[in-house]
Amino acid sequence: MTRFKKLSYSLISLVLLTACSETVEYDVIIRNGQLIDGTGNPAYAGDIAINADTIAAIGNLDNAEGRKVINAKGMVVAPGFINMLSWANVSLLEDGRSQGDIRQGVTLEVMGEGHSMGPLNERTKNEMRLSQQDIKYDIPWNSLGEYLEYLEEKGVSTNIASFVGNGTLREYVMGYENRRPSSEEMEEMKSLLEQAMQEGAVGLSTSLIYAPSGHADTEEIIELAKVVSAYDGMYISHIRSEEDKLLEAVDEVIQIAAAADVPAEIYHFKASGPENWDLLDPAIAKIDSARAAGLAITTDMYMYNASSTGLNILLPDWAKEGGHAATMEMISQPKKRAAMISEIDFHVPPENILLVGFKNKALRDLIGKTLLEVAEERNTSPEETIVNLIQEDDSRIQVVYFSMDEANIEKKLALPYMSICSDAGSYTNEGIFLEQSTHPRAYGSFARLLGHYVRDRKVIPLEEAIHRLTGLPASNLKIQQRGSLKEGYFADIVIFDPAKIQDHATFEKPHQYASGVEYVLVNGTPVLEEGEHTGSTPGRVVRGPGYQKKEE
C-alpha cells in the first residue's frame, strides 16, 4: 500500500470516528449512579438515558447530552418498586399523588385484595356509597377496567394495576349469601371474571377470612382460577387462616394452584399469635415442596410485626354473615348481642390491640389507645367494649394487632420468592388523611426494608432486595417492559441514597414520610425531585397478559 493510500485511509477513519462520536441528545440523562438493574446481579457504575417514556441507552454516556441531567453520584439507581398489595384504590381518588409510596420509590400499585373496584351493579354501588367515610367519591364506572381508566384520566403519579376480588364477584351475583352458587350464578361470576381479565386485570384474588369472599369453598375458587389460567393470570390469596389452621390454609392454596394450573401467591404471609409462631417453618416447608414439584407458589410480606384490619374480625363468624348491615341488625337484638359478647375469642390480647380508625368523629379521641385501656375507662369487659364500639361507630373499626414474631420477619425475608407490599393506602400527611390514624406500613414498608433490614440488619443483600421489589413481582405478574433497567423498558426509576434511606412512621405517629429517596421517574416523567413531589401525574394502567384491546 502506498503512503498516499495509507494517508487516505487514515483520514477516512478519522472522519468516521468523528461522525460516530457526535453528541447524542436525550430527554433525560441520569449520570454517575450505581445501577442495580432488578435482576439480582451486582451493582455497576453507569449512566441511563431516557427519551419520552422509555429507557433509550445504558452505559458510558459521556458523549451524550440531556435536556435534563440528574447527578446520581453516591446513590443507587434502580427500577421503580412494585407494591404487591396496595389499598390505594380510594386514597388515590382523593389525592392521586400517592405521596406515602412515591417517597419510598413505589411506581406501581397493585390493588384488589379479595375486593376490587369492579365489577359493580347498582346494588353494590349503593353499598360502596354507604361504606364511604371521610373520603367521598362518585362512582361513574361499572367494570374494573373502567375504574382503572377513570383513575388514570383523573391523574395519578404511580402506575396502577388490579386483581379481581372473588368477594366482589360474589357480591355482584349473590350478595352476602353463605351458600354454594347455582350453576347459573357460577357461570355469571366466570363471565364477569373473564371480562375483567380481558380488560387487563392481573388475576383473581381472595380474602378468605372476610365475608363474602370466605363463603367460597375450594371447588368454587378452582373453577374461577381456571378462567384466570386461560388468560395467563395469577391467583393470589389472603388465606383462610394465619393462625392455628395456617398449614391447612397453605395446603388449600397449593391445591388450587395445582387443580387450576395457575401461579399462586400468598398475601402478607405470616404466622399470627405467639402460640402459632412455630407453624411458620412447616408452612415454608410446604411451599418449598410445592415449588420443587413444579408449582409456581410465591409470597409477599410487609416489614412489621403487627397487622391491621377491622375490630369486627373478633366477632363470631355467624355475627358477620350478611355483611356489616346484618351485623348491626344483630347487635340491636339483645339475645344475639349477648351471644356475640360471650363468643368473642381473642387471638391477640386486648392490650395488644391498638385503635386507629373511626367513622364517628365523636369517638376519635380513642385513636391511639388500646382496647384494654378503653375497656378500663368505660368499666366494661373488653368483649362488651368491642360490640359497643362497633355499634356506636357503625363500622368495622380499623385496629392494629400486635401478633407477629420479629425473628419470623427476618426468616420470611430470606425466602427467595418473597415480594414486598404495604397492605395499606398511599396517603399525603396533611388534610383529610390526618382525620384518622393508620398503620406505619402506609408510609414506611419499603424504606424499612432497605434501611432497617438490608443496611442495618443485613438480612439480605441490597441487590437481592431490589430484585424482590422489582424484577420478581414483575415476572410473577407477567408484566411486560417493567421491573428492570433495560433498554426499551419503560422508564420507571428510583434514585435513593442507600446510607440515608429510612422509615420514620411509628405506631404512635404514623403520618411521617420516609426519607432518602431523592428522585422517582414514572414513565420517564420526574415525580419526585430532590425529595419533593413535582405534582406530576404520569401514571398509567398496567394490564395483565390477558388484556384484549377494544376495537375502535
Side-chain angles (χ1 to χ4, degrees):
M1 183 179 295
T2 67
R3 184 177 178 184
F4 175 76
K5 286 183 178 180
K6 287 181 179 179
L7 182 60
S8 297
Y9 281 123
S10 297
L11 288 171
I12 291 169
S13 298
L14 181 60
V15 170
L16 290 173
L17 183 62
T18 302
C20 290
S21 62
E22 283 183 3
T23 300
V24 180
E25 188 174 76
Y26 297 97
D27 291 337
V28 179
I29 293 181
I30 302 169
R31 294 197 184 280
N32 306 318
Q34 283 294 114
L35 276 54
I36 300 182
D37 64 11
T39 65
N41 290 333
Y44 63 95
D47 305 328
I48 296 180
I50 299 166
N51 273 335
D53 60 0
T54 303
I55 296 173
I58 300 177
N60 185 333
L61 303 177
D62 287 346
N63 292 327
E65 291 184 357
R67 296 179 183 88
K68 180 181 183 64
V69 176
I70 298 173
N71 184 4
K73 186 176 181 179
M75 290 187 278
V76 166
V77 181
F81 304 156
I82 297 173
N83 185 349
M84 271 302 294
L85 171 49
S86 169
W87 279 108
N89 44 296
V90 171
S91 58
L92 289 177
L93 289 168
E94 173 67 21
D95 185 345
R97 291 175 296 172
S98 194
Q99 295 240 47
D101 273 359
I102 279 287
R103 290 169 180 264
Q104 298 182 76
V106 172
T107 60
L108 173 59
E109 308 279 7
V110 185
M111 303 177 284
E113 181 204 357
H115 179 275
S116 50
M117 299 298 275
L120 303 175
N121 54 30
E122 286 307 311
R123 175 174 49 79
T124 57
K125 279 188 179 185
N126 188 53
E127 290 177 0
M128 188 179 286
R129 292 186 190 100
L130 291 174
S131 69
Q132 292 176 13
Q133 296 193 14
D134 294 323
I135 297 174
K136 308 296 183 184
Y137 54 93
D138 296 327
I139 312 172
W141 65 87
N142 295 303
S143 72
L144 179 58
E146 289 170 355
Y147 161 76
L148 293 170
E149 290 173 357
Y150 174 82
L151 204 53
E152 178 183 292
E153 291 169 9
K154 191 173 188 293
V156 288
S157 293
T158 57
N159 297 311
I160 48 175
S162 184
F163 287 90
V164 185
N166 85 307
T168 302
L169 298 175
R170 265 189 159 257
E171 285 181 62
Y172 188 108
V173 176
M174 304 172 61
Y176 280 82
E177 294 184 38
N178 187 2
R179 59 175 176 80
R180 299 195 70 177
S182 67
S183 58
E184 292 80 9
E185 289 167 334
M186 191 70 217
E187 287 305 310
E188 185 176 4
M189 284 194 284
K190 289 165 71 173
S191 177
L192 290 166
L193 176 56
E194 185 171 34
Q195 177 189 344
M197 295 302 294
Q198 291 173 357
E199 289 180 327
V202 292
L204 172 73
S205 66
T206 58
S207 50
L208 298 174
I209 69 166
Y210 304 109
S213 178
H215 293 163
D217 61 20
T218 307
E219 289 72 24
E220 178 182 326
I221 298 169
I222 289 171
E223 284 305 300
L224 292 174
K226 287 178 179 177
V227 174
V228 169
S229 178
Y231 286 91
D232 208 19
M234 171 189 275
Y235 170 65
I236 191 166
S237 181
H238 180 144
I239 54 180
R240 288 193 198 272
S241 174
E242 297 170 332
E243 300 168 16
D244 59 330
K245 301 295 184 184
L246 173 64
L247 302 184
E248 293 88 338
V250 170
D251 283 338
E252 183 181 36
V253 171
I254 295 169
Q255 180 185 352
I256 292 166
D261 189 24
V262 68
E265 180 153 314
I266 297 174
Y267 275 133
H268 44 60
F269 180 52
K270 58 180 173 287
S272 185
E275 67 278 14
N276 303 311
W277 288 347
D278 61 356
L279 293 178
L280 184 67
D281 284 341
I284 291 171
K286 284 180 177 290
I287 295 169
D288 288 342
S289 177
R291 287 172 59 84
L295 293 179
I297 310 294
T298 54
T299 56
D300 57 60
M301 66 181 289
Y302 47 81
M303 310 312 301
Y304 297 86
N305 65 354
S307 62
S308 183
T309 187
L311 186 63
N312 68 329
I313 68 165
L314 295 174
L315 298 176
D317 288 343
W318 58 264
K320 293 171 281 188
E321 292 292 336
H324 177 70
T327 298
M328 293 298 292
E329 175 62 27
M330 285 185 273
I331 287 177
S332 69
Q333 301 173 34
K335 287 186 178 180
K336 289 187 176 179
R337 180 193 188 94
M340 281 186 206
I341 292 170
S342 68
E343 292 180 35
I344 286 174
D345 182 21
F346 287 102
H347 69 278
V348 176
E351 62 269 25
N352 288 345
I353 301 174
L354 183 70
L355 304 172
V356 298
F358 289 94
K359 181 179 179 180
N360 183 350
K361 292 184 178 181
L363 294 174
R364 290 183 184 172
D365 62 340
L366 302 180
I367 288 174
K369 296 181 179 181
T370 67
L371 176 64
L372 182 61
E373 288 171 335
V374 174
E376 290 174 345
E377 287 177 5
R378 293 180 165 213
N379 197 28
T380 54
S381 71
E383 294 84 352
E384 186 177 0
T385 303
I386 289 172
V387 175
N388 290 346
L389 288 175
I390 290 172
Q391 184 176 37
E392 292 169 36
D393 199 54
D394 191 13
S395 86
R396 61 200 290 269
I397 302 178
Q398 195 72 17
V399 299
V400 168
Y401 296 96
F402 292 89
S403 60
M404 286 173 275
D405 179 30
E406 184 66 30
N408 276 353
I409 293 176
E410 297 194 4
K411 185 180 294 183
K412 291 184 297 178
L413 184 55
L415 299 173
Y417 45 81
M418 181 67 74
S419 295
I420 309 301
C421 70
S422 70
D423 193 10
S426 184
Y427 309 128
T428 295
N429 66 356
E430 60 189 41
I432 198 169
F433 297 114
L434 299 184
E435 293 291 321
Q436 305 277 11
S437 186
T438 188
H439 192 298
R441 65 194 183 189
Y443 288 90
S445 195
F446 306 92
R448 185 168 177 78
L449 165 66
L450 298 174
H452 179 70
Y453 288 102
V454 173
R455 181 189 61 233
D456 301 338
R457 296 287 299 166
K458 296 179 173 54
V459 178
I460 56 175
L462 180 57
E463 290 88 346
E464 177 63 17
I466 297 300
H467 174 60
R468 308 289 192 77
L469 291 164
T470 59
L472 176 64
S475 175
N476 292 341
L477 292 167
K478 300 183 177 70
I479 292 171
Q480 299 299 309
Q481 295 177 282
R482 299 187 194 271
S484 186
L485 298 180
K486 291 183 181 179
E487 293 179 5
Y489 272 46
F490 290 104
D492 297 336
I493 296 174
V494 54
I495 304 171
F496 67 93
D497 187 334
K500 294 181 179 178
I501 192 163
Q502 187 69 47
D503 62 303
H504 299 289
T506 64
F507 290 98
E508 294 75 24
K509 295 181 178 180
H511 291 286
Q512 299 186 77
Y513 295 133
S515 60
V517 175
E518 294 298 317
Y519 294 87
V520 176
L521 292 86
V522 178
N523 298 310
T525 298
V527 174
L528 201 73
E529 288 190 316
E530 297 181 354
E532 294 300 323
H533 205 292
T534 66
S536 296
T537 54
R540 299 175 185 169
V541 178
V542 173
R543 297 177 173 89
Y547 174 60
Q548 296 180 8
K549 189 174 182 178
K550 295 178 184 177
E551 295 183 5
E552 298 296 334

